[in-house]
Every structure is written in structure tokens, then in C-alpha cells.
Amino acid sequence: MALDFTFTEEQEFFRQTVKDTVNRLIVPKVAELDEKEEFPLGLWKGFSALGYLGLRHEEKYGGMATDTISQMIFYEELARGSCGFAMSVIMQILMGTYFIARFGNEGIKQRILVPAIKGEKIGTICFTEDQSGSDLGGTRTLATKVNGGWRINGRKQWITNGPIAEFSTVMATVDPKLGLKGLNFYLVEKKTSDRDGFAVGQRLHKLGSRCSETSELVFDNVFIPDENFLGEEVGKGVQYAGEILNEVRVMTAMNALSIAKGAMDDARGYAKNRMAFGNPISKYQLIREKFAKFWAWYEPAWNYAYKCAWMIQNKVPCTNECMMAKYHATEMCMFAVEEAMRIYGGNAFCTEYPPQRYWRDAKFLLYGGGTHEVLCDYLGRIYCKD
Ligand SMILES: Cc1cc2nc3c(=O)[nH]c(=O)nc-3n(C[C@H](O)[C@H](O)[C@H](O)COP(=O)(O)OP(=O)(O)OC[C@H]3O[C@@H](n4cnc5c(N)ncnc54)[C@H](O)[C@@H]3O)c2cc1C
């Protein structure tokens, strides 16, 4: 019996525990978090105390060292609450700390990873620049080797947790002419002895996911010591980034599944109560069709995303599959949030009702882990390869 679609008892229990936590701590605050557009430090502290920030890290640093499927369960349940808060939390768990856990020496792990897992230090990852988003080969932030360390010069854009971060994993090039082959990761800490030149730039006001703070970060001749070079060899940054891309894509799929389900479940409640022409609108076939199409799209997207989680966990090569999981779940989500907006009629246009928030939150899923054009370009090339 090789094909097994069941979760373990531990995974089911974990899902229920996360669901209860999200229902208790986050769900009641969702509208307020969206409206205030501020990072909720109190919520962050309460949430961190439960240990979830160490989900994928070793127990000796305070982590939970859970399996990949449990991590994906967590991402799915978390995004059912506030998508913005989920962005900040997932940045900390996955992208913000991965390279520190992978390459940091013991001193760095004690100084950064241990407090990061406790929620005491907040982190970021910095790829995107003014002229380089999908195309990392266009990175201009420069890392220059100097005696005892590196000098970093450049600006990063769209950095989740940027305004509140204590540490950043920054992608920079040793020479822009080298394209992808010149890229590396560097750890920039806010509280090093020489923090001159580091500044938070313009804060961005976002359409959705508004309680995760986002900004530019500016590095003006910032010195970092040699130990903050995160890698074994110069020029391997893209290869290292590739190590977490599958996880990032399936995580994004989980967020998409969650937002889509939330939007359509709320819309179902609305449709059963909203009267038109003498009936609840849920009685009309054209309204039911929206739920039917969503459901028929959602279930395979959900199953496929967990298949990819299983493949990652079992170290089965799955680059193409994870791209497809992200693409499929996110396109399904775009459909669901749009249909939810229509089911609410004019009320959808009022911030008092939830569908506009789901619609706004969902849009950010289109960019991280590869835009859909970039994913399709890659998949199309692979499919048509001779
Ligand atoms: C809410 C939010 C949070 C973010 N957080 C972070 C963060 O913490 N750290 C970070 O580094 N970045 C972050 N980003 C940036 C994100 O990673 C980029 O938006 C993403 O990489 C896409 O890059 P871009 O926006 O520059 O778009 P571009 O790369 O400029 O693309 C613009 C358009 O061109 C299309 N395109 C590009 N190349 C091709 C091609 N070869 N073929 C066809 N079409 C193409 C794209 O699909 C898109 O439609 C965040 C973005 C958002 C919206």
C-alpha cells in the first residue's frame, strides 16, 4: 500500500492546535489589523511565546524541528487568520532565518537565531531592488571585500518586516557584470559595533496584507565582519536561494488555499441569508455555480500542494511540481476572491464586509516565489524542450 493520503495523528493534532490558536489570537482582530496598517507587536509577542517561530529549526536552538508537512499545515492555518500577520511570521520562520541556520557560525546562531526563534529579534530577506525583481541577475547592491569583512552598498525594495528588523539576509553581488554568478548572502545586523550607513528607507503603503510592515532598506558603505558572509563559497548565492524556493512556493500555495477558502466560506454564509426575488441568493444556479467551480478547483489544488509538501519532505526532486502548485493554487485563489466579491453584490465594495480584504490580501501571492509569467515561461520551456 504505497499511496497514502492520510495525515498522522500528530499532524492532525498540530493542525487543530494551530487552528485554535489562530481563532483565539488572530481571527477576532483581523479587520482591526488591516485597518491600522501597523505591525502588531503585542500579538507578535503572544504568538512567539507559543514557539511557532522555531517550527523548522533545530531543538537545540529552541526550535520545534517539525516535518515539512506540519510546516505547511501551519502556513495554511495561519493565513486563515490575518494574511499580513502571516507574512511577517513566515518571513521569520522561513526566509529570514534559513541562511543563518544553514551558514551562521555558533556565535551568530546564539546571537541571532536563538532570539529570532523567541521572537525577540525580527528578520528580513532582501532580494528585490529598484531594477531587479524577477531577474536577480540585475542585482546592483555591491559587496566589496575589505580587511576583516565586507562593505555593502545599495538599496533594497519591498522588504517585508523592513522597518522593524534587527537583522537582514541581504543578497549582494561582488561584481554586477557577473550576473547570477556574482551573488551572495550577507548578514547585516542592526546592532553591530559599526552600523553606520544602514537606514530604513521609504515605508510602503500596501493594497493588502497591510499589518506586515514593508519598506526600502538602504546600505551606505555598511561594514560587516567576515563571519557574516553566509555561504561556503563566493558566487553560490543563487544556488543557495534555490534550496528554499520549493518550500516558498508551496507555502504560498498554502496561503492561497486558505484565503480562497476563507473568502468562499464567508460568501456562502452571506449567500444563504441574502434575499433577492423572494429567495436566498444561494438558491440560484448561477450563484451555486460559483461555489461549485471554486470547490472543484480548490480540492485538487489542496491535494497537489500537500503532495508537493510530501515530495519536499521525502527529498523527491520537485521544482516543476512546486511551481505548478503555486501557480494552480494562486490562480484558483484569484478566481475565488473575485467570485466572493460578486456574491456580496454592492456590499463587497464596503470595507465593513470581508470580501474586499480577501481580494486585496490575495494579490500579493502573485509575486513572491516567482510571478506567474516567470513560472509559466520556465514551465513552458521545460515542456517544449527537445
Ligand atoms: C507584499 C510584498 C512583499 C514583498 N516582500 C519582499 C521581501 O521581503 N523581500 C524581497 O526581496 N522582495 C519582496 N517582495 C518583492 C517580490 O519578491 C517581487 O515583487 C517579485 O520578485 C517580482 O519582482 P518585481 O515586482 O520587480 O516585478 P518584475 O520582475 O519587474 O516584473 C514585472 C512584470 O514583468 C513580468 N516578467 C518579468 N520577467 C518576465 C519574463 N521573463 N517573461 C514574461 N514576463 C516577465 C512579471 O511577471 C511581471 O508581470 C515583495 C513584494 C510584495 C508585493
Side-chain angles (χ1 to χ4, degrees), residues 87 91 125-128 133-134 158-160 367 371 373-374:
M87 277 180 73
M91 172 57 71
I125 194 144
C126 306
F127 292 106
T128 308
S134 307
W158 275 109
I159 305 306
T160 300
Y367 316 114
T371 66
E373 290 79 4
V374 169

Side-chain angles (χ1 to χ4, degrees), residues 122-264:
I122 296 176
T124 71
I125 194 144
C126 306
F127 292 106
T128 308
E129 300 179 4
D130 173 21
Q131 290 299 323
S132 109
S134 307
D135 176 17
L136 292 178
T139 299
R140 290 289 172 273
T141 296
L142 192 64
T144 311
K145 186 77 189 84
V146 292
N147 197 13
W150 298 79
R151 291 267 173 203
I152 312 287
N153 280 286
R155 298 177 87 89
K156 294 290 179 178
Q157 262 191 359
W158 275 109
I159 305 306
T160 300
N161 292 347
I164 50 172
E166 293 281 327
F167 64 94
S168 294
T169 303
V170 180
M171 180 165 260
T173 178
V174 287
D175 179 356
K177 289 200 287 297
L178 293 175
L180 296 176
K181 291 188 179 141
L183 298 171
N184 304 289
F185 288 111
Y186 301 86
L187 169 63
V188 176
E189 298 169 66
K190 222 173 185 181
K191 287 182 180 150
T192 49
S193 51
D194 174 3
R195 53 178 288 197
D196 288 348
F198 173 80
V200 175
Q202 190 194 351
R203 198 185 143 193
L204 304 179
H205 296 283
K206 305 198 295 297
L207 179 71
S209 300
R210 285 155 50 97
C211 74
S212 77
E213 300 209 8
T214 312
S215 71
E216 283 187 315
L217 291 182
V218 183
F219 308 94
D220 182 8
N221 223 22
V222 174
F223 175 80
I224 58 154
D226 276 328
E227 63 170 9
N228 287 28
F229 175 86
L230 298 175
E232 280 151 358
E233 236 180 280
V234 172
K236 290 269 168 76
V238 170
Q239 184 184 316
Y240 299 143
E243 292 174 8
I244 52 167
L245 263 181
N246 285 344
E247 275 179 70
V248 170
R249 287 174 179 146
V250 181
M251 172 274 288
T252 310
M254 292 296 164
N255 291 175
L257 289 159
S258 202
I259 293 172
K261 185 80 166 55
M264 285 309 250

Side-chain angles (χ1 to χ4, degrees), residues 28-81:
K29 296 191 173 139
V30 167
E32 181 192 332
L33 293 171
D34 179 55
E35 198 178 318
K36 275 195 178 161
E37 209 183 353
E38 277 171 15
F39 178 71
L41 190 59
L43 178 59
W44 173 267
K45 284 184 180 164
F47 201 78
S48 308
L50 300 171
Y52 291 123
L53 300 181
L55 205 61
R56 63 188 307 296
H57 292 301
E58 289 179 80
E59 285 165 287
K60 66 176 174 176
Y61 298 113
M64 288 184 179
T66 59
D67 56 273
T68 310
I69 293 174
S70 298
Q71 290 158 32
M72 295 304 165
I73 289 173
F74 176 83
Y75 301 143
E76 186 191 0
E77 292 301 326
L78 181 65
R80 212 173 38 80

Side-chain angles (χ1 to χ4, degrees), residues 8 19 31 82 87 118 136 163 235 246 261 314-315 325 329 338 378:
T8 64
K19 199 188 277 280
S82 156
M87 277 180 73
K118 289 184 186 156
L136 292 178
N246 285 344
K261 185 80 166 55
N314 289 288
K315 304 202 182 332
E338 175 63 29
Y378 178 89

